[in-house]
């Protein structure tokens, strides 16, 4: 005989005995459990839908760990053509140039001042000044004296094409009286730091000559092992020039310093 269909097998027959209350009870329990399960499932689904809706329509997001860059960055300090830095927040152009506030381009050495041959200007890097060497000296720091801050400065490095000889120069402009105080401070500090016992080795500093150019001048020799440098410091009114000639040569160092003094004098008209 062919197998009954799903409906035929589970359809109640007319002559089947009516179920008793005891027979119905397990079915009722199963129906109640099924309804509870369906209700719980519906509750879970509704809860998930609500959470998704909140997330899509307005849940606040956490701030990023790395802040986004500002749309506008502060501009660097304005620098004039004459080498001065305008104070932060200053409105409008800087004050009229004077010898006390700027370094005129004409105050710098020309390639022909460096010596014979063809010279070119290249980027000047590093700190080669007497002040840097003095920063390694405990005796200089112990005085508590602070160097005046220049109002402006210019740097340059000239290199001779034939043999790579070098002339380094830094010219600074000071407020009235500060250039004189700066040179006096450096003179006293070099004397106090004749011997510097540094971790990298012993450094000696000696004043080789004084007052050979400009209003005042110093020629400072620095030695450390096989290293030797001659720094010539010259003051002309409120300008100071520091030069180094490489290879070190005392006569050439004096000559270049004297030419630096003449350039500062001609550029400012104060001598």
């Amino acid at each position: 005989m062919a197998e009954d269909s799903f409906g035929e097998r589970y359809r109640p027959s007319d002559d089947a005995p009516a179920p008793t209350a005891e027979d119905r009870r397990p079915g009722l329990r199963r129906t109640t459990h099924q309804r509870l399960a369906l209700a719980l499932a519906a509750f879970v689904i509704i809860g998930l839908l609500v959470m998704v809706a909140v997330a899509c329509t307005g849940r606040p997001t956490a701030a990023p760990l790395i802040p986004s860059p500002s749309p506008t960055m502060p501009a660097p300090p304005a620098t004039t053509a004459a080498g001065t830095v305008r104070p932060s927040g200053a409105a409008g152009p800087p004050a009229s140039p004077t010898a006390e506030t700027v370094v005129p381009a004409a105050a710098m050495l020309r390639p022909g001042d460096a010596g014979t041959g063809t010279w070119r200007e290249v980027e000047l890097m590093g700190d080669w000044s007497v002040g840097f060497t003095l920063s390694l000296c405990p005796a200089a720091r112990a005085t508590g004296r602070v160097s005046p801050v220049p109002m402006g400065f210019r740097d340059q490095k000239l290199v001779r094409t034939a043999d790579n000889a070098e002339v380094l120069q830094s010219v600074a402009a000071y407020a009235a009286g500060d250039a004189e105080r700066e040179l006096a401070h450096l003179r006293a500090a070099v004397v106090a730091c004749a011997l510097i016992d540094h971790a990298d080795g012993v450094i000696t500093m000696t004043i080789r000559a004084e007052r050979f150019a400009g209003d005042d001048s110093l020629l400072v020799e620095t030695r450390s092992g096989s290293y030797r440098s001659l720094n010539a410091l010259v003051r002309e009114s409120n300008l100071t020039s520091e030069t180094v000639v490489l290879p070190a040569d005392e006569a050439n160092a004096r000559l270049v310093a004297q030419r630096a003094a003449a350039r500062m004098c001609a550029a400012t008209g104060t001598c």
Side-chain angles (χ1 to χ4, degrees), residues 206-221:
T206 308
I207 297 177
R208 300 287 299 174
E210 297 184 79
R211 301 179 179 89
F212 55 88
D215 292 333
D216 194 6
S217 54
L218 293 173
L219 183 62
V220 179
E221 180 186 59

Side-chain angles (χ1 to χ4, degrees), residues 108-120 156 158 160 167 252 255-256 259 263:
M108 306 298 291
L109 288 168
R110 300 291 187 273
D113 298 330
T116 59
T118 302
W119 296 75
R120 68 186 188 278
Q156 68 172 344
L158 301 174
R160 185 159 52 193
V167 173
N252 198 25
L255 178 60
V256 170
R259 290 173 176 173
R263 289 293 182 187

Side-chain angles (χ1 to χ4, degrees), residues 82-94:
T84 58
V85 177
R86 188 183 307 165
S88 176

